[in-house]
Amino acid sequence: MSKFVSSVPRKLNFSAAPYIGLTVLNLLLFGLVLSSLGLYRDDWYMYWAAKMGGIAYTHKLFIVDRPYMGLVTGVSSMLVGDSALVWHVYALVLRLATAVLFLAILRLVWPSLPRLTYAMAALYTVYPGFLQHSISITYSNHYITIVLGLLSIWFTLKVLDTENPLLRLTLIGASIATTFYLFIYEYMIGFEAVRLLLFLYRAHTFSKGKPGWFRKSILLWLPTLIPVAIFLYWRIFRFHSERTETNFGAIIDNLQTQPALTLLTMLKSALSDFIAATFSAWYIPLKDALREANGIEILLSVVIGALAVLTVYWVLRVLRAEEDQPRNASVSGALISVGALWAIAAILPVSFANRRIEFTHMLDRYTLHVSLGAAVFLAGLISLLPAKNLRRGAFFALTFIGVFAGMLTTFHYIRFWEAEKSAWWQLYWRAPDLQEDTALVMQLPPRYQLAEGYEVWAPANLIYQKHPEDLYIQGEVLADENIDGIRNRETLTKNMRKFIIVSNYAQGLVSSLQENGCLHVYDRDWLIPYPNENSRVQEVVSISNISQIVREKPAAAPAKKVFGTEPEHGWCYYYQKAGLAAQFGDKTAFADLLNQVDENKLNPDIGAELEWIPFLEGTILLEDSQRFALIAKKLKDSSGEFCQMFPDSTTRGAITANRQRVVQVICEP
């Protein structure tokens, strides 16, 4: 067997340019705006769990389906700490590591194609089909898994480069150890097929098809099956996942019940997902991102895309001195075949679990590990183009599209964070503290809808929670399955993995933020509506009880490391404080608030003039007739929706005398 490695090149051409180029691409695409990003989606409950209980809590979170992922999250949290910005830097470093390892593997498999292997790694880096790079805590786990998977494959490929038994044994041991990636995300098991594919391809290439190469290759590869066998035994026979999507037993039952139909459906899904991951990924996310982007974002994305193209051009020029293997159909065919098989191997376990690739801000996650094979496949197709300028032009075009679409997606997350951050700071201004077991509803503008209840209760508890033993505040989103229970003031129970969230909407508090205007914390007895408020919010505002807001012992201000620097005290700050002062009849606070609004010449957004109402209440408390008249005049022409709630005097009996006066002044001719 020792003679088998004699034909493997001992020294490959090396240039730092490709790795510098990948670093620049990552910084351009992901690094320029890190300080403008925050926490999103699943990040919230992971951050909350790590903050409240460390590794024990994060392990508990995922014990139902991926217990080792919980441990990885906990360890990462210990390393990274509390800062959202550091989490984004951490994810950026891991993302870059995946690109560097991918390139290292490609240069082992195709050492005489330095420019083409760099182009493949660049395509992976700028791949636009994965839309959730900005969700740093959640997807740092995915990057760790890919790093370990690629490292494991690299160690296996390097076995072919040595005759030293001790070094070979060390490489095999390292390969086995890094196969731990399977225990983090089981659906990445397709990497094992990729390992065998690349190992056999490299062995065949360097042995030049000499007799016995296949048997010798298999003998060297066989030890890598040991951790795979251990993983499969544990996952199938020892561990029972409580989630259907990750339960091997449930999936196998489907195969046994309807084997032909299940397999046919799986293969059909895999083919459709292969097309989506390799082709659709380059235009669907771009088309969707363009719909909501503004002119400045488009211009900046064009500039950054152009800089990315220049980076790729520079690297290709530097590598021109390294002679590529002559371009021929066999090389292109090998790239296409290996890339297609790589992508399909990554897709099949996802299809096996009855999951699909969709370009939404959730199900595009399955493109992340598939994009490696997709990059090889696309490079093979491009290499078929007859002219060098056409090939370069195609790579440059895809680089630009990837960066352009990726930046537009990142700008979406920047705006999303601005909405989230604004909502939580405004809630804190309006509610210095909340009664224990307050059940929150928070609605954001349509483009930034919250998807799960933990996007409400996790940040709320990071602000208001008094002790780590249980949730101080609960919360839900206005989803189909929740809205009836919220409207009827029921107690909703939801399992969030191993945590049970019990939200009693007899103690509900509803808030809503739109594109224009401030956060409206609704009072069921005194509804000051947004113009054209979301219909779902309109269905539940009647349960919103502002007595859940207390101010005797204010909570600490939202942590800067999580919620960012406190926003400037503009109109919305004074609006929230006016609402608080009106709730508690605080004359002293109103005197200062009205003076500040006058001095700073503050006004609500156009269309949100009803936000003057708490200030009008303040002028009544202060008996300030001059200001009362001025504010009443501002409200007179924009109070239609508000006045509809009080069509005649008989509907005003439930409100205070001061509020009856407000209605009378602004609603009656």
Side-chain angles (χ1 to χ4, degrees):
M1 190 180 298
S2 62
K3 292 182 180 179
F4 173 70
V5 299
S6 60
S7 58
V8 176
R10 298 302 181 86
K11 184 177 181 180
L12 302 178
N13 289 331
F14 177 81
S15 169
Y19 299 97
I20 294 172
L22 291 181
T23 302
V24 172
L25 283 180
N26 271 275
L27 291 174
L28 285 173
L29 187 51
F30 307 115
L32 296 179
V33 293
L34 291 187
S35 62
S36 299
L37 297 168
L39 300 185
Y40 312 90
R41 306 302 185 197
D42 292 8
D43 281 358
W44 282 114
Y45 73 78
M46 290 187 182
Y47 186 97
W48 171 84
K51 183 75 172 173
M52 293 300 112
I55 292 177
Y57 263 38
T58 57
H59 178 62
K60 181 181 178 181
L61 270 176
F62 296 98
I63 200 169
V64 299
D65 59 346
R66 294 182 179 121
Y68 292 98
M69 193 183 87
L71 293 176
V72 170
T73 302
V75 172
S76 292
S77 298
M78 290 176 59
L79 293 172
V80 175
D82 297 339
S83 170
L85 175 59
V86 178
W87 271 107
H88 285 290
V89 173
Y90 179 62
L92 174 63
V93 171
L94 290 171
R95 191 182 299 121
L96 175 59
T98 65
V100 168
L101 284 167
F102 182 46
L103 178 57
I105 288 171
L106 295 176
R107 299 201 80 176
L108 283 179
V109 179
W110 291 286
S112 59
L113 300 174
R115 285 179 286 177
L116 197 52
T117 51
Y118 168 72
M120 288 186 255
L123 287 180
Y124 160 72
T125 299
V126 305
Y127 179 79
F130 178 65
L131 309 174
Q132 301 183 76
H133 289 295
S134 298
I135 307 180
S136 58
I137 299 178
T138 303
Y139 288 99
S140 64
N141 292 322
H142 291 68
Y143 297 128
I144 288 171
T145 308
I146 294 174
V147 164
L148 290 174
L150 293 177
L151 262 179
S152 187
I153 292 171
W154 186 84
F155 285 131
T156 302
L157 294 177
K158 289 294 288 183
V159 169
L160 295 172
D161 290 355
T162 181
E163 299 176 4
N164 185 306
L166 181 59
L167 181 55
R168 180 175 287 173
L169 187 62
T170 301
L171 288 168
I172 291 172
S175 176
I176 289 172
T178 45
T179 307
F180 172 74
Y181 79 89
L182 289 173
F183 289 84
I184 306 175
Y185 280 107
E186 74 294 327
Y187 68 78
M188 292 191 188
I189 195 171
F191 273 18
E192 292 308 306
V194 174
R195 183 201 307 272
L196 178 59
L197 170 68
L198 296 180
F199 190 75
L200 291 178
Y201 180 84
R202 187 168 191 248
H204 177 264
T205 300
F206 294 144
S207 68
K208 303 185 186 304
K210 292 179 181 178
W213 75 270
F214 182 78
R215 180 181 62 83
K216 294 172 183 177
S217 302
I218 291 296
L219 289 175
L220 287 173
W221 166 78
L222 275 176
T224 63
L225 283 181
I226 296 171
V228 179
I230 293 171
F231 165 74
L232 289 174
Y233 172 75
W234 170 77
R235 192 75 194 191
I236 296 173
F237 299 107
R238 305 296 298 176
F239 177 76
H240 177 74
S241 174
E242 297 179 23
R243 291 180 63 210
T244 303
E245 297 88 348
T246 56
N247 188 320
F248 274 48
I251 295 168
I252 291 171
D253 286 345
N254 288 338
L255 278 171
Q256 291 176 337
T257 305
Q258 294 180 304
L261 178 61
T262 302
L263 284 172
L264 183 62
T265 302
M266 183 195 308
L267 292 173
K268 182 180 177 182
S269 296
L271 178 59
S272 174
D273 286 349
F274 172 77
I275 294 171
T278 51
F279 297 112
S280 304
W282 296 88
Y283 72 89
I284 291 179
L286 175 60
K287 178 188 66 176
D288 293 342
L290 277 170
R291 276 204 295 263
E292 66 174 73
N294 61 48
I296 297 295
E297 292 169 354
I298 291 172
L299 178 60
L300 288 172
S301 298
V302 167
V303 171
I304 295 171
L307 291 173
V309 170
L310 288 174
T311 300
V312 172
Y313 174 75
W314 170 75
V315 175
L316 294 179
R317 280 189 63 85
V318 171
L319 294 177
R320 188 169 56 180
E322 298 183 24
E323 185 178 355
D324 271 4
Q325 180 173 313
R327 195 79 64 218
N328 57 61
S330 63
V331 172
S332 299
L335 291 171
I336 292 169
S337 300
V338 170
L341 290 171
W342 187 329
I344 290 170
I347 287 169
L348 279 173
V350 176
S351 301
F352 188 67
N354 198 31
R355 306 294 276 180
R356 297 295 308 277
I357 290 175
E358 295 178 15
F359 297 108
T360 67
H361 291 285
M362 292 297 289
L363 295 178
D364 61 286
R365 69 182 64 185
Y366 300 115
T367 66
L368 184 54
H369 67 305
V370 177
S371 60
L372 297 157
V376 178
F377 175 76
L378 288 171
L381 290 180
I382 292 172
S383 70
L384 286 175
L385 295 174
K388 181 186 294 186
N389 287 338
L390 282 176
R391 294 194 294 271
R392 285 191 175 185
F395 278 122
F396 293 155
L398 289 182
T399 299
F400 179 82
I401 291 170
V403 173
F404 183 61
M407 284 307 304
L408 292 180
T409 300
T410 301
F411 283 126
H412 164 85
Y413 277 101
I414 291 173
R415 285 183 267 104
F416 186 0
W417 177 237
E418 285 301 314
E420 280 194 290
K421 183 173 66 173
S422 176
W424 288 112
W425 274 105
Q426 288 191 59
L427 181 66
Y428 174 72
W429 293 336
R430 177 63 181 86
D433 200 4
L434 293 171
Q435 300 275 11
E436 187 169 6
D437 293 327
T438 296
L440 286 178
V441 170
M442 181 174 282
Q443 185 81 0
L444 294 186
R447 290 187 290 177
Y448 318 113
Q449 286 296 314
L450 302 177
E452 299 285 352
Y454 49 72
E455 296 175 72
V456 178
W457 60 254
N461 280 285
L462 288 169
I463 298 172
Y464 297 107
Q465 190 157 340
K466 303 296 187 293
H467 44 74
E469 286 75 22
D470 51 36
L471 288 181
Y472 186 76
I473 303 296
Q474 292 81 47
E476 265 302 344
V477 293
L478 296 177
D480 290 342
E481 65 271 20
N482 302 325
I483 195 163
D484 286 342
I486 293 172
R487 182 176 56 232
N488 296 327
R489 305 183 189 186
E490 297 175 3
T491 297
L492 304 181
T493 302
K494 181 172 286 189
N495 291 337
M496 210 289 292
R497 298 183 182 274
K498 279 296 183 180
F499 289 92
I500 299 175
I501 316 300
V502 180
S503 306
N504 179 7
Y505 278 95
Q507 300 167 187
L509 186 66
V510 178
S511 59
S512 174
L513 181 69
Q514 290 191 4
E515 296 282 359
N516 293 319
C518 305
L519 180 78
H520 283 210
V521 180
Y522 281 106
D523 177 356
R524 64 191 180 196
D525 297 323
W526 185 238
L527 294 176
I528 304 174
Y530 258 129
N532 304 313
E533 178 62 274
N534 181 288
S535 60
R536 292 195 167 195
V537 175
Q538 292 178 20
E539 289 186 56
V540 301
V541 289
S542 62
I543 67 104
S544 189
N545 183 4
I546 62 166
S547 66
Q548 296 300 124
I549 297 172
V550 293
R551 64 173 188 170
E552 285 75 19
K553 296 180 180 180
K560 180 179 177 181
K561 289 183 177 181
V562 186
F563 296 93
T565 303
E566 184 171 3
E568 179 184 352
H569 288 182
W571 169 261
C572 287
Y573 172 82
Y574 293 104
Y575 166 71
Q576 301 301 348
K577 290 303 183 183
L580 183 65
Q583 178 182 344
F584 291 98
D586 191 337
K587 292 184 180 181
T588 304
F590 262 126
D592 180 62
L593 291 170
L594 285 163
N595 287 336
Q596 290 293 329
V597 168
D598 287 346
E599 288 176 16
N600 293 292
K601 299 179 180 179
L602 299 174
N603 287 284
D605 288 341
I606 295 173
E609 287 81 5
L610 289 178
E611 290 172 3
W612 279 111
I613 287 179
F615 293 96
L616 190 62
E617 293 181 68
T619 63
I620 296 173
L621 283 173
L622 295 172
E623 298 180 355
D624 187 337
S625 58
Q626 184 178 2
R627 279 177 168 155
F628 178 86
L630 288 172
I631 294 174
K633 184 178 180 181
K634 293 177 182 180
L635 282 163
K636 194 75 174 175
D637 297 329
S638 56
S639 54
E641 292 185 58
F642 172 74
C643 293
Q644 288 173 14
M645 301 175 189
F646 306 98
D648 54 60
S649 59
T650 62
T651 62
R652 304 175 193 169
I655 60 176
T656 65
N658 284 347
R659 287 180 170 176
Q660 289 185 36
R661 185 180 174 194
V662 169
V663 175
Q664 181 181 17
V665 167
I666 67 175
C667 295
E668 292 183 1

